[in-house]
Amino acid sequence: MSAGVAATRTRAGFYLDSVALMRISQAVQDLAGVSAAFLTMGSPSNKELLLDAGLLDAGAEAAGPNDLVIAVRADDRDALRAAFETAEAALSGPATGGGEDSGWNPRSLETGLRALPAANLAIVSVPGAFAAREARRALERGLNVMLFSDNVPVREEVALKALARERGLLMMGPDCGTAIVAGAPIGFANAVPRGDIGLVAASGTGLQEVACLIARAGGGISHGIGVGGRDLGAAVGGAMTLAAIDALDRDEATRRVVLISKPPDPDTARRIADRIAASPKRFTLCCIGMAPMDLPENARQAATLREAAEDALKGAGGAEPGATLREASRRFRHAKGSVRGLFSGGSLCAEAQAVLMAAGIAFVSNVPIPGAEDASSGHRLIDLGADEFTRGRPHPMIEPAVRDAPLKEALADPDVGVVLVDVVLGHGSHEDPAGRLAAVLAPHDREAPVVIASVCGTDRDPQNRAAQVETLREAGVVVAESNAGAAETAAALLAG
Amino acid sequence: MEDRKDPIQDLLDGPVAVINIGLAQFARTLEGQGVAAVQVDWCPPAGGDRRMIDLLDKLGA
């Protein structure tokens, strides 16, 4: 596999953020005759990645965290030269800060604050090893923080959240990619109307799906506060979930609150339930995969994200229209086939598991929810945003091409009868994920397997949900109204 | 900032004003929404040297 020619180049003292680098890497990788392309900073973990790819030569080995490494393997010298030319051209383009928006930017938090003294939030998305330091500095200067970075040790998270509590600040994250604050979508978030439903979420796509379902049913969001995936674990003990509940309790615009999380640690769950009991507002708890728990009278438990949205809307919204199943049945020709779920959203993968489990269907997943059976049934639900798929690669919400290979494999697999996919829209996401899916589907037989998608988004999102749905339908995809509805349709097909 | 009584309520009341440290696309998206945002061009401090960073922190730099 490693035939051909390989080379690296290093640019000393040229720092660029990982998303910008991954975008350029993908563009170079897509060139004819290029089998591998990495543009990456010379940190120890990135050099390990190059070593695994057989691309760590002496030049790359000598690079440090402030040095950019370009590493390419190609079929021949011409393809190699073209790859480096494309990479170098992209590095001097506008997306890298070297072009049209290359005006002066502050180099530190302090100078940033001098430029924007009214700042009330710092978004921190630097590599994990440096993230806690930057977050702490922001908290010490009185800023609320949204910490997007992952790979932050849990003891650092505990310390940061203790500092935030002491200072009366929000510390959203680490690993928090989505928030909606005072009508502003922050990070990976959708354009939803303002309203009276507040969200507190330990899950980015969970927050997105609930917010979009509420918006599409005519409701609105007061605020969506992300807390990070570990907040309701034993170590952190719900520190920011409790702070967010306090804040939404005081917030006059919020009348109802939805909490979205993985199943919490039992002691933390009790603490949250006690806090809810003391609130005058109504709560919906959606902890996908959690057994029914005792809740105070002002709270209800929802088994799926869709149920959470319905409960918050007092029953508006509703079940998947019958037309979705009729359309899927028409295209379903492979009655003994298994389900292959290829998700970009972790909570959407978890929700699909909950739906299949409720229908008595056993499955395998790389991120199993509690009670999931590790069965040999052949049904597989995969979160392509999990760490094992995103090491050194962009998240599938940013670069849907990450799903191309597993999707082609599923389409060609004679044992697969149903392919389930999610398409996540909004700020931060790829500009045309449906178009990318449609391009992969185009050369394939439309009859088997049937592809069922849900589209998490709104018509006000940059991608426009209606246009994305239309693209998918033209490609022969059955589009459900919600992720839960897509999974239910798959389960109904299996049940015959 | 020094005089704010409740910084969380200040954030929720809006308008949101952001210092963005890291991925530049977050600041660009916010600016596109009419949200005040300042991009900080971050790079690893002290060349990523952990001991030097700890020393800088102790010095309050």
Side-chain angles (χ1 to χ4, degrees):
Chain A
M1 289 303 286
S2 57
V5 288
T8 70
R9 286 184 192 173
T10 303
R11 277 197 185 192
F14 188 100
Y15 186 85
L16 204 57
D17 75 52
S18 59
V19 169
L21 288 175
M22 283 173 181
R23 286 214 163 116
I24 302 172
S25 300
Q26 186 69 46
V28 177
Q29 176 100 48
D30 284 348
L31 295 173
V34 174
S35 51
F38 294 88
L39 278 83
T40 189
M41 301 310 299
S43 67
S45 60
N46 288 340
K47 285 196 276 193
E48 216 172 276
L49 199 74
L50 293 176
L51 180 67
D52 290 350
L55 285 168
L56 188 71
D57 60 12
E61 177 66 77
N66 279 329
D67 305 327
L68 171 70
V69 180
I70 310 170
V72 180
R73 178 179 297 112
D75 294 346
D76 53 42
R77 295 257 153 226
D78 287 345
L80 193 68
R81 192 172 53 245
F84 279 116
E85 279 171 7
T86 302
E88 300 279 5
L91 288 172
S92 51
T96 64
E100 64 195 28
D101 63 351
S102 62
W104 177 85
N105 282 331
R107 304 294 296 261
S108 70
L109 175 61
E110 288 73 19
T111 42
L113 272 170
R114 279 201 284 278
L116 187 61
N120 47 19
L121 175 69
I123 304 177
V124 177
S125 54
V126 304
F130 306 100
R133 177 179 192 265
E134 299 299 332
R136 187 169 56 248
R137 288 161 69 95
L139 291 169
E140 284 168 350
R141 283 154 186 80
L143 293 171
N144 296 288
V145 170
M146 173 163 155
L147 180 50
F148 176 78
S149 316
D150 56 6
N151 296 318
V152 174
V154 71
R155 61 182 164 74
E156 301 257 34
E157 177 175 350
V158 171
L160 288 170
K161 287 181 170 174
L163 176 61
R165 286 291 257 175
E166 191 187 306
R167 304 276 175 115
L169 294 161
L170 277 181
M171 168 65 224
M172 300 187 273
D175 205 8
C176 173
T178 302
I180 301 168
V181 181
I186 299 174
F188 294 81
N190 305 87
V192 296
R194 296 197 73 175
D196 61 3
I197 300 170
L199 309 177
V200 180
S203 136
T205 46
L207 193 161
Q208 287 188 267
E209 175 78 347
V210 173
C212 291
L213 290 174
I214 288 171
R216 298 210 303 271
I221 303 301
S222 58
H223 307 285
I225 299 174
V227 295
R230 295 186 301 217
D231 194 70
L232 290 165
V236 188
M240 268 313 113
T241 301
L242 291 166
I245 293 174
D246 289 347
L248 293 178
D249 236 6
R250 290 191 301 267
D251 180 53
E252 287 175 7
T254 303
R255 293 204 314 125
R256 291 155 178 271
V257 180
V258 182
L259 293 186
I260 304 156
S261 170
K262 285 182 278 203
D265 154 68
D267 287 341
T268 305
R270 269 190 293 279
R271 210 171 301 143
I272 301 290
D274 289 347
R275 177 62 189 81
I276 289 172
S279 170
K281 299 187 179 177
R282 214 174 139 263
F283 283 73
T284 307
L285 258 77
C286 179
C287 306
I288 297 170
M290 186 168 74
M293 68 178 278
D294 284 335
L295 287 173
E297 277 188 5
N298 59 334
R300 276 198 50 194
Q301 196 172 341
T304 61
L305 300 166
R306 185 185 63 192
E307 206 179 303
E310 279 171 29
D311 187 53
L313 287 160
K314 289 194 258 182
E320 188 61 34
T324 308
L325 180 56
R326 284 196 296 278
E327 173 69 6
S329 300
R330 202 172 60 74
R331 295 176 180 278
F332 186 54
R333 300 290 168 86
H334 199 50
K336 288 201 172 73
S338 60
V339 174
R340 181 76 48 85
L342 301 170
F343 293 90
S344 55
S347 288
L348 301 175
C349 183
E351 184 182 43
Q353 293 179 50
V355 169
L356 260 55
M357 197 188 287
I361 298 166
F363 53 84
V364 180
S365 176
N366 61 329
V367 285
I369 61 171
E373 292 177 49
D374 191 5
S376 52
S377 67
H379 304 306
R380 283 203 270 159
L381 300 179
I382 302 163
D383 173 14
L384 295 169
D387 291 347
E388 64 262 38
F389 293 106
T390 52
R391 188 169 165 256
R393 303 171 75 193
H395 191 280
M397 276 163 56
I398 299 173
E399 182 43 76
V402 170
R403 185 155 51 189
D404 289 1
L407 180 59
K408 284 177 189 166
E409 188 193 314
L411 291 169
D413 187 337
D415 293 330
V416 174
V418 183
V419 176
L420 263 181
V421 291
D422 58 351
V423 173
V424 183
L425 310 180
H427 297 288
S429 284
H430 189 266
E431 63 270 16
D432 183 20
R436 184 81 198 193
L437 257 180
V440 175
L441 294 174
H444 285 268
D445 176 4
R446 288 185 174 197
E447 297 303 326
V450 58
V451 180
I452 306 173
S454 67
V455 182
C456 173
T458 72
D459 289 350
R460 288 169 50 197
D461 279 332
Q463 302 88 348
N464 186 290
R465 183 175 184 275
Q468 291 280 298
V469 168
E470 191 51 36
T471 300
L472 292 172
R473 290 200 166 127
E474 280 173 7
V477 175
V478 178
V479 183
E481 283 301 311
S482 65
N483 179 64
E488 280 168 4
T489 305
L493 288 178
L494 294 180
Chain B
M1 273 188 320
E2 297 79 353
D3 299 330
R4 279 179 199 146
K5 289 193 183 89
D6 182 348
I8 297 179
Q9 197 61 50
D10 175 74
L11 177 71
L12 299 190
D13 287 346
V16 176
V18 173
I19 306 279
N20 187 51
I21 307 164
L23 304 179
Q25 73 169 68
F26 289 153
R28 283 198 292 267
T29 301
L30 288 167
E31 282 167 353
Q33 299 293 298
V35 175
V38 164
Q39 172 66 22
V40 171
D41 281 344
W42 184 91
C43 63
D49 182 329
R50 199 73 247 173
R51 283 190 311 173
M52 193 60 95
I53 294 169
D54 290 345
L55 188 62
L56 284 174
D57 284 347
K58 281 195 185 110
L59 293 168

